[in-house]
Amino acid sequence: MTTALLIVDMQNVFTSMTTTCLPKILQLATHFKSHSLPIIFTQHGHSKAELTPPFRNQLVRKWGPSGSIATGSHDWELIPSIADFISSSSTKHAGSKTGETSPYPIIPKNTYDAFLNTNLASVLEENKVERVVVCGVMTDCCCDTTARSAFNRGYETWLVGDACGTASKRQHEAGLNGFGYAFGEVVETEEVIKRLQ
């Protein structure tokens, strides 16, 4: 069964929420890389049009333009250690703007569910993925919503509890408990690695 690692929204704006989960995410990414398993990243952001009234995006309506992530801003950029992981895996490619190409897709998204209005489903299908392992931020928003969406699309889905972060312990536990009750499994990093040996 092909298993993909989906690393959700590890961006500068969320740095304070990644203190404990970031080392686990890098551990998972290294394991998947060493076993040549698919790794996919998401990156949340809103265009200038979405941040300009009238607000058509529900998240911008909910959080306001000042509470939303502007595409291209410092907050929108990937956390340096995640960006370093991606660039260390890149190969030289004459046709790209930077001269490099990454083996890991970065899926731009503008709502909690990484499947909505994106090519995530196509990327999973192209890689013949049957199981999705979800980690990143925020546990109870984008991670939980995306993991539920993967489950509802027929993927066996694991949400990695110690490789997710959010604003509070209460929110973290609520997200994990809700997902584990009705959707897929909540597992820890070491268990994921053990199962995929």
Side-chain angles (χ1 to χ4, degrees):
M1 176 180 292
T2 301
T3 303
L5 179 64
L6 181 58
I7 301 175
V8 177
D9 299 352
M10 290 297 287
Q11 296 164 247
N12 286 331
V13 69
F14 299 118
T15 299
S16 65
M17 300 179 194
T18 67
T19 307
T20 58
C21 70
L22 180 56
K24 299 295 185 179
I25 291 167
L26 291 171
Q27 184 180 358
L28 286 167
T30 300
H31 179 81
F32 273 70
K33 178 181 177 180
S34 70
H35 288 79
S36 300
L37 293 170
I39 302 171
I40 303 160
F41 295 85
T42 69
Q43 189 170 22
H44 191 99
H46 298 281
S47 67
K48 186 174 182 179
E50 289 175 328
L51 297 172
T52 304
F55 304 122
R56 304 215 183 281
N57 181 283
Q58 288 293 72
L59 290 187
V60 176
R61 286 182 186 167
K62 165 91 175 136
W63 301 106
S66 64
S68 300
I69 306 166
T71 299
S73 67
H74 174 75
D75 283 348
W76 170 83
E77 292 175 0
L78 296 173
I79 290 172
S81 57
I82 294 295
D84 290 346
F85 175 85
I86 294 169
S87 67
S88 72
S89 304
S90 297
T91 56
K92 297 291 179 192
H93 187 273
S96 75
K97 290 180 185 175
T98 62
E100 295 183 348
T101 183
S102 171
Y104 309 124
I106 302 172
I107 308 290
K109 66 183 194 61
N110 67 355
T111 190
Y112 296 139
D113 185 343
F115 285 91
L116 288 182
N117 306 314
T118 74
N119 67 337
L120 177 56
S122 299
V123 170
L124 294 175
E125 288 167 17
E126 288 167 12
N127 285 281
K128 298 180 176 30
V129 171
E130 297 175 74
R131 179 190 297 126
V132 180
V133 177
V134 180
C135 62
V137 293
M138 296 171 61
T139 311
D140 52 320
C141 293
C142 295
C143 292
D144 173 49
T145 303
T146 298
R148 288 177 185 224
S149 192
F151 175 89
N152 287 333
R153 285 169 165 77
Y155 295 99
E156 181 179 331
T157 309
W158 301 346
L159 187 57
V160 189
D162 64 350
C164 288
T166 194
S168 72
K169 182 178 179 182
R170 182 184 63 76
Q171 285 177 241
H172 181 70
E173 290 174 353
L176 297 177
N177 289 337
F179 179 81
Y181 175 75
F183 296 90
E185 284 188 76
V186 175
V187 295
E188 301 295 298
T189 297
E190 292 301 331
E191 182 63 21
V192 172
I193 291 170
K194 181 179 174 185
R195 290 183 187 186
L196 297 180
Q197 293 290 5

